[in-house]
DNA sequence: GCTGCATGATGAA
DNA sequence: TCATCCTGCAGCA
């Protein structure tokens, strides 16, 4: 679930639901007990996101840093929440809503220096109104494939495995093309696609890259994952544009998909 | 009940 | 490149 669009969406939803409220905070699982007791009874002032990182800002100058990693998930309940699962690291509760967090890679209180260090490691975020200049510069410096470069959060913050595959298809670039050989115009196009698609993903909560004209009359919400995307998880299926079989390959431990005809090998 | 898999990232080798 | 950490759930028996 969690690519940058989901993270920014969580920031917005959690801000709307919990900001301005004095919260009861606990760690049912026990692995965030100290932090939870520090936060318990404080007011959550605001929530913001950069790339895939969430920052919850509390009265008393506390900042909670959350990174969902691959498995992390939030669940929210209006009232009468069920018992938390054994893996529930963090629970917030206002008088009207409850939030559970399970499986995050990171859930820690941090100080301003630690936050600065996190931000220093992040490239431009398409959802933060950043300029693509740093993306252009970062790609120009790398000999690794563009596919590998796009998952590096120092290159571009917030892209994950789904968007990587889809954006490369939309730009028509093979993942193995060396990053520094990608024409600047294509890099700009990649950025513009990222801004447009991730904004849409932030609003809808799902990734739909297929052009509406190609979706037919079916409602987006009815579509299965492989119907909303051009290449991700579609190995062996025909390319929507040219009919060629989509290919899958392992790249630095993560799978990547592409159309061999629309995205010719370097 | 067990296995495998997932939209992530790090540190060691 | 590999091992490791973080959970839940679908697909099996």
């Amino acid at each position: 679930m969690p690519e940058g669009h989901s993270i920014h969406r969580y920031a917005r939803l959690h801000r709307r639901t919990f900001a301005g409220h004095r919260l009861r905070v606990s760690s049912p699982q026990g692995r965030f007990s100290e932090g939870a007791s520090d936060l318990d009874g404080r007011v959550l002032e605001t929530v913001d996101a950069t790339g895939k990182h969430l920052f919850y800002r509390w009265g008393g100058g506390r900042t909670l840093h959350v990174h969902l990693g691959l498995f992390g998930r939030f669940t929210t309940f209006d009232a009468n929440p069920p018992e938390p699962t054994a893996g529930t690291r963090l629970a917030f509760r206002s008088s009207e809503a409850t939030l559970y967090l399970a499986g995050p890679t990171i859930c820690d209180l941090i100080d301003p220096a630690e936050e600065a260090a996190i931000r220093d490691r992040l490239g431009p975020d398409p959802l933060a109104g950043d300029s693509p200049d740093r993306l252009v510069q970062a790609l120009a410096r790398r000999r690794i494939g563009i596919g590998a470069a796009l998952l590096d959060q120092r290159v571009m913050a917030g892209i994950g495995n789904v968007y990587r595959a889809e954006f490369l298809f939309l730009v028509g670039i093979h993942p193995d093309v060396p990053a520094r050989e990608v024409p600047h115009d294509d890099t700009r196009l990649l950025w513009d696609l990222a801004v447009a698609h991730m904004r849409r993903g932030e609003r809808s909560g799902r990734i739909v890259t297929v052009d509406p004209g190609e979706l037919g009359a079916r409602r987006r919400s009815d579509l299965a994952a492989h119907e909303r995307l051009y290449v991700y998880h579609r190995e062996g299926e025909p390319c929507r544009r040219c009919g060629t079989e989509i290919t899958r390959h392992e790249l630095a431990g993560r799978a990547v998909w592409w159309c061999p005809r629309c995205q010719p090998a370097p």
Side-chain angles (χ1 to χ4, degrees):
Chain A
M1 328 233 163
E3 298 199 20
H5 69 296
S6 311
I7 303 307
H8 282 262
R9 179 180 174 85
Y10 284 131
R12 178 166 59 80
L13 298 178
H14 294 171
R15 202 161 52 228
R16 190 178 72 194
T17 306
F18 295 103
H21 292 261
R22 193 172 294 283
L23 302 179
R24 299 311 311 262
V25 182
S26 62
S27 178
Q29 175 201 51
R31 292 183 52 181
F32 183 60
S33 296
E34 258 185 59
S37 39
D38 188 345
L39 296 177
D40 189 35
R42 294 185 189 276
V43 173
L44 177 66
E45 292 174 345
T46 190
V47 187
D48 52 87
T50 302
K52 297 174 189 168
H53 299 257
L54 282 159
F55 302 98
Y56 295 80
R57 306 189 190 285
W58 304 74
R62 303 295 194 279
T63 297
L64 170 67
H65 174 216
V66 171
H67 191 295
L68 294 181
L70 192 52
F71 309 136
R73 61 206 300 153
F74 289 111
T75 41
T76 51
F77 304 92
D78 287 343
N80 304 317
E83 283 300 303
T85 61
T88 302
R89 182 89 55 95
L90 168 73
F92 291 173
R93 196 172 78 243
S94 74
S95 51
E96 294 123 43
T98 294
L99 174 73
Y100 291 153
L101 167 64
T105 287
I106 296 168
C107 173
D108 281 322
L109 292 177
I110 56 170
D111 61 33
E114 290 169 314
E115 179 170 344
I118 292 161
R119 292 181 179 283
D120 283 349
R121 293 200 305 267
L122 296 175
D125 178 346
L127 289 177
D130 290 340
S131 138
D133 294 346
R134 285 165 60 216
L135 172 65
V136 172
Q137 290 159 17
L139 291 183
R141 260 184 270 120
R142 273 160 231 253
R143 338 168 151 245
I144 57 172
I146 179 73
L150 288 185
L151 281 193
D152 183 339
Q153 301 296 301
R154 293 170 298 187
V155 168
M156 195 167 167
I159 301 292
N161 210 17
V162 178
Y163 279 131
R164 158 174 81 167
E166 296 298 301
F167 294 162
L168 288 177
F169 173 85
L170 289 168
V171 183
I173 300 180
H174 189 285
D176 290 341
V177 170
R180 60 186 193 177
E181 290 174 22
V182 173
H184 286 192
D185 283 353
D186 285 347
T187 304
R188 302 271 171 189
L189 174 58
L190 180 70
W191 180 263
D192 292 343
L193 285 167
V195 171
H197 279 282
M198 292 176 77
R199 273 188 192 153
R200 189 182 304 170
E202 195 276 342
R203 269 182 261 122
S204 68
R206 52 192 344 195
I207 303 179
V208 181
T209 55
V210 171
D211 188 271
E214 296 176 46
L215 283 174
R218 305 193 49 196
R219 287 174 32 206
R220 290 180 163 222
S221 53
D222 293 339
L223 298 171
H226 67 280
E227 297 176 298
R228 311 189 309 252
L229 306 169
Y230 284 107
V231 292
Y232 180 81
H233 260 305
R234 292 193 68 236
E235 66 268 28
E237 294 180 55
C239 171
R240 300 182 193 288
R241 294 269 171 84
C242 76
T244 304
E245 268 192 21
I246 301 300
T247 297
R248 171 197 151 122
H249 199 66
E250 230 30 62
L251 180 61
R254 309 291 301 281
V256 64
W257 292 261
W258 72 91
C259 168
R261 182 154 168 201
C262 298
Q263 299 165 264

